[in-house]
């Protein structure tokens, strides 16, 4: 689905593809003297609110950074809590996604997750595969560097087998090997919680995306905050290296 970017911007422009680094659940809980899992639970509620708002606004694709390849470094108990919340989200929200004609996509190596979680994800993807509406992509055990490494390895293997001329490799070929090959070009990348880094998220895809860093902790990021982010995007002029 990915195509070359179209010059866009100015009042009224709507991003086709929005990605969000959902950061700040732990700090949200700490401010309220609650365990970290309470922040993650509140973060799931924010996922519901923002994904519904994105659909209502006409955003074609929403990608959410839910579990990075580095998140395995967190305490085992917290990783277990996150797996439990993922199970709960799929079981409780899948019917709505099917009803709302949403196509669920997962980017990243989610097959490292527990077998029952993998089965739930596979079932959710299969049950929404025939939908023709907006895309909801969830990044699970995802890392941008690993994604690029895997893409380069696959192209190198084809070249070594004589099926590909190395001189013919271009950006389009690399993009076709990425997890996001069937998503629209990334227009707007938002990070919550006041941090100003990409944290290994969509490194290739963010090359010409508009970046927005907000202080709001993820559980407090809702409809109004998404609308403000889209309004900010609409005021920007995107030149993609041109004038």
């Amino acid at each position: 689905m990915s195509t070359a970017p179209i010059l866009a911007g100015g009042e009224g422009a709507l991003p086709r593809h929005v990605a969000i680094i959902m950061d700040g659940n732990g700090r949200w809980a700490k401010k309220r003297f609650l365990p970290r899992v309470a922040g993650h639970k509140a973060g799931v509620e924010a996922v519901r609110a923002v994904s519904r708002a994105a659909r209502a606004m006409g955003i074609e694709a929403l990608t959410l950074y839910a579990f990075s390849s580095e998140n395995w470094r967190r305490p085992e108990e917290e990783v277990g809590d996150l797996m439990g919340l993922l199970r709960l989200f799929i079981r409780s929200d899948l019917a709505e996604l099917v009803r709302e004609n949403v196509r669920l996509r997962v980017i990243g190596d989610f097959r490292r997750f527990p077998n029952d979680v993998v089965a739930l994800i596979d079932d959710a993807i299969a049950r929404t595969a025939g939908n023709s509406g907006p895309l909801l992509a969830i990044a699970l055990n995802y890392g941008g560097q690993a994604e690029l490494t895997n893409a380069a390895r696959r192209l190198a293997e084809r070249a070594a087998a004589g099926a590909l001329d190395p001189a013919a490799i271009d950006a389009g070929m690399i993009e076709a090997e990425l997890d996001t090959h069937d998503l629209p070009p990334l227009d707007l990348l938002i990070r919550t919680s006041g941090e100003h880094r990409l944290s290994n998220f969509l490194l290739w895809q963010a090359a010409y995306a508009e970046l927005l860093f907000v202080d709001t902790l993820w559980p407090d990021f809702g409809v109004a905050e998404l609308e403000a982010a889209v309004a900010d995007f609409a005021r920007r002029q995107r030149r993609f290296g041109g004038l």
Side-chain angles (χ1 to χ4, degrees):
M1 183 180 294
S2 183
T3 59
I6 299 172
L7 293 181
E11 199 64 38
L14 182 71
R16 291 179 63 199
H17 182 184
V18 175
I20 306 178
I21 300 173
M22 306 180 294
D23 194 20
N25 291 346
R27 276 168 283 171
W28 184 93
K30 184 177 181 180
K31 286 175 61 177
R32 290 160 176 77
F33 304 99
L34 297 171
R36 287 180 63 86
V37 67
H40 294 312
K41 288 178 179 177
V44 171
E45 293 302 320
V47 167
R48 292 191 178 101
V50 169
S51 60
R52 289 167 181 164
R55 297 199 296 270
M57 295 170 67
I59 293 171
E60 186 176 334
L62 176 68
T63 299
L64 302 175
Y65 203 10
F67 191 93
S68 79
S69 53
E70 288 75 36
N71 284 157
W72 295 107
R73 301 171 184 169
R74 295 189 177 188
E76 184 176 347
E77 181 180 0
E78 182 170 351
V79 171
D81 289 338
L82 291 169
M83 293 298 118
L85 288 171
L86 180 57
R87 292 183 183 95
L88 180 62
F89 176 78
I90 295 173
R91 288 168 176 156
S92 61
D93 289 56
L94 179 56
E96 177 181 332
L97 298 180
V98 173
R99 184 175 63 252
E100 294 294 321
N101 199 29
V102 175
R103 289 173 287 168
L104 181 66
R105 284 275 285 104
V106 173
I107 63 173
D109 183 18
F110 69 90
R111 298 197 179 279
R112 185 179 170 186
F113 286 179
N115 290 338
D116 68 309
V117 176
V118 172
L120 284 171
I121 294 171
D122 281 336
D123 178 63
I125 293 171
R127 288 178 60 184
T128 63
N131 291 349
S132 58
L135 282 154
L136 175 60
I138 308 295
L140 296 171
N141 195 25
Y142 172 87
Q145 291 177 335
E147 179 186 35
L148 289 167
T149 300
N150 291 335
R153 182 180 297 115
R154 286 190 291 269
L155 291 173
E157 289 170 350
R158 288 167 56 191
L164 175 65
D165 179 1
I169 296 175
D170 59 14
M173 286 188 180
I174 296 173
E175 189 170 274
E177 295 293 336
L178 300 179
D179 294 353
T180 56
H181 63 89
D182 56 349
L183 298 178
L186 180 61
D187 291 317
L188 174 62
L189 192 154
I190 304 166
R191 182 172 186 144
T192 62
S193 87
E195 303 292 348
H196 294 77
R197 56 181 177 272
L198 295 182
S199 293
N200 203 18
F201 185 51
L202 299 180
L203 301 180
W204 175 281
Q205 298 85 344
Y208 275 104
E210 295 296 315
L211 307 182
L212 179 64
F213 301 98
V214 298
D215 292 333
T216 308
L217 300 176
W218 173 245
D220 292 327
F221 191 96
V223 177
E225 287 74 20
L226 180 63
E227 290 176 343
V230 170
D232 182 279
F233 173 86
R235 291 190 293 269
R236 301 188 185 189
Q237 293 296 323
R238 307 181 72 199
R239 298 179 178 85
F240 302 98
L243 298 177

